[in-house]
Amino acid sequence: MTARPVSPRDRLILALDVADLNEASILLDKVAGRVGLVKVGLELFTACGPAAVRAVRERGIGVFLDLKLHDIPATVAGAVKSALTHDVAMLTVHTGGTSAMLKAAAKEAGDHLMILGVTLLTSIGQDDLASVCLAGSPSDIVVKRATLAADCGLRGIVCSPNEVQPIRRAVGDRVAIITPGIRPAGAEMGDQKRAATPAAAISNGADYLVVGRPIRDAADPGAAADALVDEIAGALGTGR
Ligand code: C5P
């Protein structure tokens, strides 16, 4: 089980967004020992299933399984039960799934697995909300959903680095805050809209940063991970 991160490196989560086990192994060998956790997401898990989790665990790295579960409570509870057999540290559910679904996930996980609530994808901007029948600002929505998640017993929240402070004010230290949408200064934004630099995310109070393309697509992924850890350490005022 993953506790609060202790070192700057523990706070860095690589999003292993690759298509197959061969690509995964190549990237994992480059970053082993240089990131805290590895996030296995929809692309790789759909392609390879639990073998993707094993590839990460074989290298002694903890797994964040990012399946963003969103279904009826019984189905989500069943998926959490299955995830418990895969030796993963964190698993995501979507907070749009109502309190009954969130409570079912938290209950099934118990103390064995951190269930994280995804509030609003960081690729969604203000202009997208009306088209999916959501009213208010991204910030209003994520604070309400984060509060619901914490009240339902989830142990972490996934949100934009720009929303950490209002969420912390609403839920205090009850939950860990995990932020994707991280872009080092000058990096390509890709499809991310509510993004920030690693230093800004840490200064805002994020516990963990999820970084995919800025590491995966770097000429030297290991060096890119080290530079991110250095930036995190700088923002915390500690050594690596
Ligand atoms: O490549 P990049 O750093 O943008 O990758 C971000 C990762 O975080 C992706 O794996 C994406 O699925 C995930 N994520 C996100 N926004 C959320 C939740 C997860 O970008 N709200």
Side-chain angles (χ1 to χ4, degrees):
M1 192 177 65
T2 304
R4 285 290 164 93
V6 289
S7 74
R9 194 192 64 181
D10 291 339
R11 293 173 182 259
L12 179 60
I13 302 175
L14 167 68
L16 190 60
D17 290 332
V18 294
D20 59 41
L21 273 185
N22 185 42
E23 279 184 54
S25 297
I26 292 168
L27 186 52
L28 285 169
D29 287 339
K30 289 178 180 163
V31 301
R34 298 160 107 167
V35 300
L37 288 170
V38 164
K39 183 172 84 70
V40 173
L42 292 172
E43 182 180 4
L44 189 60
F45 200 75
T46 303
C48 319
V53 174
R54 284 195 294 275
V56 181
R57 296 295 298 128
E58 276 163 10
R59 290 163 172 86
I61 308 172
V63 173
F64 167 178
L65 188 57
D66 188 18
L67 300 183
K68 299 186 179 73
L69 302 173
H70 188 169
D71 209 315
I72 61 171
T75 300
V76 169
V80 171
K81 192 173 180 184
S82 296
L84 288 172
T85 67
H86 297 320
D87 190 18
V88 301
M90 298 175 171
L91 173 70
T92 45
V93 299
H94 206 291
T95 53
T98 77
S99 61
M101 191 203 87
L102 300 176
K103 284 178 185 167
K107 186 174 173 206
E108 191 66 48
D111 287 337
H112 305 293
L113 172 60
M114 276 178 84
I115 301 289
L116 313 179
V118 175
T119 50
L120 189 69
L121 298 174
T122 44
S123 57
I124 297 177
Q126 175 77 62
D127 296 346
D128 302 309
L129 296 180
S131 68
V132 287
C133 305
L134 287 172
S137 66
S139 181
D140 294 334
I141 294 166
V142 298
V143 169
K144 280 188 191 143
R145 288 184 170 182
T147 305
L148 176 72
D151 291 348
C152 291
L154 268 56
R155 295 178 41 209
I157 297 296
V158 182
C159 64
S160 154
N162 303 318
E163 290 144 6
V164 175
Q165 290 181 3
I167 288 179
R168 203 53 101 192
R169 277 196 294 276
V171 302
D173 285 331
R174 280 188 288 163
V175 294
I177 298 186
I178 293 98
T179 61
I182 300 296
R183 288 293 178 268
E188 289 287 329
M189 291 294 280
D191 52 3
Q192 295 287 8
K193 291 186 182 164
R194 301 184 346 268
T197 64
I202 292 292
S203 301
N204 287 343
D207 294 301
Y208 297 90
L209 312 188
V210 176
V211 182
R213 287 163 287 187
I215 296 176
R216 184 197 69 187
D217 298 342
D220 183 343
D226 290 346
L228 283 155
V229 173
D230 286 341
E231 186 170 340
I232 293 169
L236 290 167
T238 65
R240 192 193 280 177

